[in-house]
Amino acid sequence: MTATVVSTVIKDEVTYEEFSVRLRGPREVSGDVDMGAPGPLLGDLRPGDVVTVTLWQDYAVAVTKDGRSQETADTPLGEPQLVTAVGSALLSVGAFTAYAGGRVVTGARRYGQRGLPRLLVVHGKVAFGAMLCAVPAMIVGDLAGVPLQAVVWLALLPVVWWFVRRREIRGRGRHAAPALQDR
């Protein structure tokens, strides 16, 4: 959609930044648009300039004039990576909760007498590690895209499992040694 530039605001101070353009045009594009940065286009816009505004789901995502374009702060770039990271973390928690809940329900009588098995703690640590793996995977996703992000997250899961199991085995060995010495 086309619109006319009414004014621009470029304030780049230490404590306050504002980079916006006020547009007049059809209802969908009229008003202030946060440009997020002064360039490559905002600094060259003048009142009266006619620009093309690219809309995506009622958001102005880019402003273009004479073949030069600038994305706005409403551009949804990066959101798929964040959604994938949050989904990965929630999947870890959900899978662990379903597993632990199922184990507790099926063995309630036995666990009531003996206590919860150590394996649930181990799986809880693995689930927490899987949640943490979503962060480096999201960083990779920002650079290379969501499919590679998912691959990195899935590739890190066996590493977390190995690391937690290794620490668990070492921990048992450390705690078992004093018990043997007391005999």
Side-chain angles (χ1 to χ4, degrees):
M1 300 189 140
T2 59
T4 304
V5 174
V6 175
S7 63
T8 60
V9 176
I10 300 176
K11 290 184 182 176
D12 192 5
E13 300 168 6
V14 176
T15 58
Y16 179 74
E17 287 184 344
E18 183 181 353
F19 306 105
S20 64
V21 60
R22 178 165 286 167
L23 301 173
R24 181 180 34 230
R27 179 182 53 82
E28 296 88 351
V29 296
S30 288
D32 292 336
V33 177
D34 183 1
M35 298 299 287
L41 180 64
L42 179 62
D44 295 333
L45 292 177
R46 303 288 174 250
D49 286 349
V50 176
V51 295
T52 302
V53 181
T54 303
L55 295 175
W56 181 77
Q57 295 186 355
D58 297 328
Y59 291 98
V61 296
V63 176
T64 305
K65 178 182 182 257
D66 298 332
R68 291 179 45 216
S69 183
Q70 181 175 343
E71 292 179 347
T72 69
D74 282 338
T75 299
L77 289 177
E79 288 180 15
Q81 288 82 3
L82 179 62
V83 169
T84 303
V86 169
S88 302
L90 292 176
L91 178 64
S92 304
V93 172
F96 169 71
T97 303
Y99 167 79
R103 288 285 304 256
V104 170
V105 167
T106 59
R109 179 170 293 177
R110 184 174 63 240
Y111 298 148
Q113 295 168 350
R114 296 183 198 159
L116 290 175
R118 182 85 183 123
L119 191 59
L120 287 181
V121 174
V122 173
H123 286 302
K125 289 177 181 179
V126 171
F128 183 73
M131 286 175 45
L132 293 179
C133 288
V135 175
M138 183 175 71
I139 293 168
V140 170
D142 280 342
L143 300 173
V146 171
L148 190 57
Q149 177 179 353
V151 168
V152 168
W153 182 71
L154 290 171
L156 288 174
L157 295 182
V159 174
V160 169
W161 176 255
W162 174 82
F163 182 75
V164 169
R165 292 292 293 162
R166 183 171 169 238
R167 288 188 53 98
E168 199 60 33
I169 291 168
R170 279 188 177 174
R172 280 189 199 152
R174 218 178 295 135
H175 297 299
L180 292 175
Q181 293 173 356
D182 291 339
R183 287 187 195 180

